[in-house]
C-alpha cells in the first residue's frame, strides 16, 4: 500500500519533511501508519522517536516488516476495520494508501481513522494525482486514473459532510531519480509484485515513454509525480 522501503532513497525528502512538521506542530507522539506496506514510513518515524504502529492487509508484508523494523508495532488489518480503541493515537497517516482501499469502503476507512485518533488529533492524507511524468510512464503498467480520482472524491465528500476541519491542503511535486528504466520498473514492482509481468510485457512501450518523459538529473533520469496533502482535524460532535 504505502511506498516500500527499497525505493525511498529516490525521493527528494519533501514528503517526509512535511509529515514531520505537521506531527511536531501537533505535538503528536503516538502515530498510526495506515497501509504501511514494507514499513518505510514507520521505520523513519520510529527512528525519530515516535511511538509508531503500522497496519497493512498483506500478511507477508507485515511479517517481513516486523522482522526488519524492530522499534515499531505492526498489525495485519484493513483500513476500514482498525483493531484499536477509540482515541488510541495522536495522529494517523495515509501515505499514498487511500487509493489502495476498496472504493466501496474508502469513507469507512476515513471514519475509522477519525475514530482511532484523539479529538485534538490529526489525520494526514497524501495522495498521488493522475498526472505528471512519473504517472505517464507508469500508466501502461497500472493506470490508476479512476481509483486515484475515487480516493479524492471520498476524501472531499467526507470533508463536505462536516466530519473534518481542513488545517492544510498543499499540492507539490515528488521528484524521483533513476539510473535507468530497469530501476524505475523495480520501483513499481516493489510496490506491487503483480506489476512485474505487465511491465515485462510492455517493456518497449515503457522504454519509449521513459525516454520521452524523463529529464536529466545527476543520477541519470528524473520523473515528477504531483502529490496532494491534506491535514485534517476531527470536527467537534
Amino acid at each position: 500500500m504505502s511506498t516500500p522501503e527499497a525505493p525511498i532513497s529516490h525521493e527528494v525528502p519533501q514528503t517526509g519533511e512535511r509529515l514531520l512538521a505537521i506531527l511536531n506542530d501537533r505535538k503528536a507522539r503516538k502515530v498510526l501508519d495506515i497501509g504501511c506496506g514494507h514499513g518505510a514510513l514507520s521505520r523513519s518515524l520510529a527512528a525519530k522517536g515516535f511511538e509508531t504502529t503500522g497496519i497493512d492487509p498483506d500478511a507477508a508484508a507485515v511479517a517481513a516488516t516486523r522482522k526488519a523494523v524492530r522499534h515499531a508495532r505492526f498489525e495485519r488489518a484493513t483500513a476500514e476495520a482498525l483493531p484499536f480503541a477509540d482515541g488510541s493515537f495522536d495522529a494517523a497517516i495515509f501515505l499514498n494508501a487511500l487509493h489502495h482501499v476498496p472504493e466501496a469502503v474508502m469513507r469507512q476507512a476515513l471514519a475509522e481513522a477519525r475514530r482511532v485518533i484523539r479529538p485534538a488529533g490529526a489525520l494526514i492524507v497524501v495522495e498521488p494525482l493522475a498526472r505528471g511524468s512519473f504517472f505517464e510512464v507508469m500508466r501502461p503498467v497500472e493506470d490508476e486514473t479512476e481509483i486515484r480520482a475515487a480516493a479524492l472524491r471520498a476524501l472531499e465528500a467526507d470533508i463536505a459532510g462536516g466530519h473534518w476541519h481542513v488545517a492544510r491542503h498543499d499540492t507539490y511535486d515528488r521528484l524521483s531519480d533513476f539510473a535507468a528504466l530497469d530501476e524505475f520498473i523495480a520501483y513499481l514492482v516493489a510496490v506491487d509484485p503483480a506489476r512485474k509481468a505487465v511491465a515485462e510485457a510492455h517493456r518497449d512501450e515503457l522504454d519509449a515513454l521513459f525516454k520521452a518523459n524523463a529529464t536529466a538529473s545527476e543520477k541519470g533520469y528524473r520523473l515528477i509525480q504531483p502529490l496532494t496533502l491534506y491535514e485534517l482535524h476531527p470536527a467537534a460532535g
Side-chain angles (χ1 to χ4, degrees):
M1 292 176 71
S2 58
T3 305
E5 182 180 350
I8 201 70
S9 62
H10 297 151
E11 182 176 327
V12 173
Q14 296 168 312
T15 298
E17 289 173 353
R18 288 166 185 259
L19 296 179
L20 190 61
I22 293 170
L23 294 174
N24 286 335
D25 285 348
R26 303 304 304 172
K27 296 181 171 55
R29 301 316 303 165
K30 298 182 68 175
V31 181
L32 177 63
D33 179 8
I34 304 175
C36 64
H38 292 273
L41 175 61
S42 292
R43 178 193 290 273
S44 176
L45 292 176
K48 291 176 174 63
F50 293 93
E51 185 180 336
T52 308
T53 300
I55 70 99
D56 199 277
D58 186 330
V62 170
T65 303
R66 281 175 176 161
K67 294 179 181 179
V69 184
R70 296 291 187 178
H71 300 295
R73 171 189 175 193
F74 297 96
E75 301 289 344
R76 184 187 181 192
T78 60
E80 68 272 19
L82 297 174
F84 308 111
D86 296 2
S88 294
F89 300 94
D90 301 320
I93 302 172
F94 283 97
L95 176 56
N96 296 339
L98 184 58
H99 69 281
H100 289 288
V101 175
E103 183 176 355
V105 293
M106 284 178 179
R107 291 195 64 183
Q108 177 61 29
L110 292 168
E112 278 290 272
R114 189 167 62 252
R115 180 183 67 78
V116 302
I117 60 176
R118 59 186 177 85
L123 172 65
I124 308 169
V125 181
V126 181
E127 276 292 303
L129 302 177
R131 63 175 189 259
S133 56
F134 187 104
F135 179 73
E136 290 305 319
V137 183
M138 171 188 168
R139 195 195 294 259
V141 177
E142 186 170 3
D143 187 346
E144 293 185 336
T145 301
E146 294 303 322
I147 197 63
R148 292 184 184 187
L152 293 179
R153 284 195 302 270
L155 185 58
E156 290 162 3
D158 223 48
I159 293 168
H163 300 298
W164 303 100
H165 294 301
V166 180
R168 186 175 322 197
H169 180 207
D170 301 321
T171 298
Y172 60 99
D173 290 336
R174 184 188 71 200
L175 310 178
S176 297
D177 292 342
F178 303 94
L181 175 64
D182 284 341
E183 193 171 4
F184 172 76
I185 292 173
Y187 184 111
L188 298 181
V189 172
V191 177
D192 182 357
R195 292 172 171 172
K196 184 175 182 179
V198 181
E200 290 174 351
H202 291 270
R203 185 178 181 87
D204 289 346
E205 184 180 4
L206 289 174
D207 184 54
L209 287 169
F210 189 80
K211 290 174 179 175
N213 286 278
T215 58
S217 71
E218 289 185 5
K219 183 170 182 180
Y221 302 91
R222 172 165 292 173
L223 295 171
I224 297 173
Q225 174 60 67
L227 302 173
T228 191
L229 180 152
Y230 283 84
E231 177 193 347
L232 305 173
H233 301 164

